[in-house]
Amino acid sequence: MPLDDGKVSLRSVQHLLNRFKTCLPQLYTQLRHHVEIIKTAKREADIRALNKEQIAASRTFKKLNHDLKELDELQNKIFFSDLNKFKLTVDPLRQCAYDEIVKFVQLDDNLDRIDQSDLLTSTLPESTSHDLSATSNQIFRDDSNIPHTSSHIGEAHPELMSLQETESAEEDLQQLEATAQSWNQLQQDIQDVAEIMTSYPS
C-alpha cells in the first residue's frame, strides 16, 4: 500500500475541489462558444474574426492547462484511502475536458492547416492576388465569399487603382499570416492539454 506520509484527507481539500467543480465547467462553456464562433467565421470567410477567436481559444486552453495541472497536483496529495472518492468527483471533469478537445480536433477536418511558407514567398504587386487566392483556399474550402478588391476605382486614375489594390492585398496577406500563426498556436495549446489528459495520476 502506498505511504500516506505528507498526504491530506479529502475533507481538508474539499473547498479546493469545489473551486475546480465551478471553474472547469465555466472553461468548457467558453470552449464550446469558441468552437461555434470559429465555425461561423469560417463559414462567412471572416478572416479577422477567425484570427481573433483562435487567439481567445488559446487563452482558454492555457487556463485549462493550468487548472488541470493544479488538479493533478491536488490528487497527488490525497490520502490513498480517499483517492476513489476523489476520482468520483474529478474523473467526470476530466472527461469533459477530453470531450472539448475532440471538438477542436474535429475543427481540423474543416479548417485546414495553413502553410505559412505559401504566405511568405509572394512578391508584390504582381503575384500578390494569386498568392492571396491560393492561401485563402487553404483556409476556406470555398472562397467564393472572400471579398476581393474592387476594380472600379476609376479609369482616370489607374495608378491609384493599382496602389489601392496592392495595399489591400498586402493587408489581407498580413491578416492571413496572423491567422495561420494563431491557428498553429491554438493547436499547440490543445496538444499541451491533451498531454495532461494522457498522463494524469492513476
Side-chain angles (χ1 to χ4, degrees), residues 125-140:
E126 290 80 8
S127 65
T128 299
S129 296
H130 171 74
D131 289 343
L132 176 60
S133 177
T135 305
S136 297
N137 281 331
Q138 289 182 293
I139 305 178
F140 306 106

Side-chain angles (χ1 to χ4, degrees), residues 39-98:
K39 287 180 178 178
T40 299
K42 175 190 175 296
R43 184 171 59 251
E44 297 178 355
D46 190 338
I47 299 173
R48 286 171 176 77
L50 180 60
N51 183 43
K52 179 180 178 180
E53 202 60 31
Q54 288 173 174
I55 292 172
S58 279
R59 288 196 295 266
T60 304
F61 268 106
K62 283 183 171 67
K63 174 60 176 170
L64 178 59
N65 187 323
H66 176 270
D67 286 354
L68 289 176
K69 284 182 177 178
E70 284 195 341
L71 189 61
D72 288 352
E73 291 173 0
L74 184 61
Q75 177 169 327
N76 286 329
K77 297 177 181 178
I78 300 298
F79 283 140
F80 180 77
S81 58
D82 284 343
L83 271 180
N84 286 337
K85 292 180 180 179
F86 182 88
K87 290 179 180 180
L88 285 174
T89 299
V90 302
D91 283 354
L93 295 174
R94 290 191 175 110
Q95 180 61 45
C96 287
Y98 174 81

Side-chain angles (χ1 to χ4, degrees), residues 145-186:
N145 294 322
I146 296 177
H148 296 283
T149 308
S150 173
S151 60
H152 303 290
I153 296 177
E155 296 180 0
H157 302 284
E159 71 285 355
L160 178 59
M161 178 180 69
S162 177
L163 177 61
Q164 290 182 341
E165 287 181 340
T166 298
E167 290 177 346
S168 177
E170 283 182 308
E171 182 180 346
D172 287 341
L173 276 174
Q174 290 172 359
Q175 189 62 53
L176 283 168
E177 180 181 357
T179 304
Q181 292 172 345
S182 65
W183 177 245
N184 290 336
Q185 180 61 56
L186 174 56

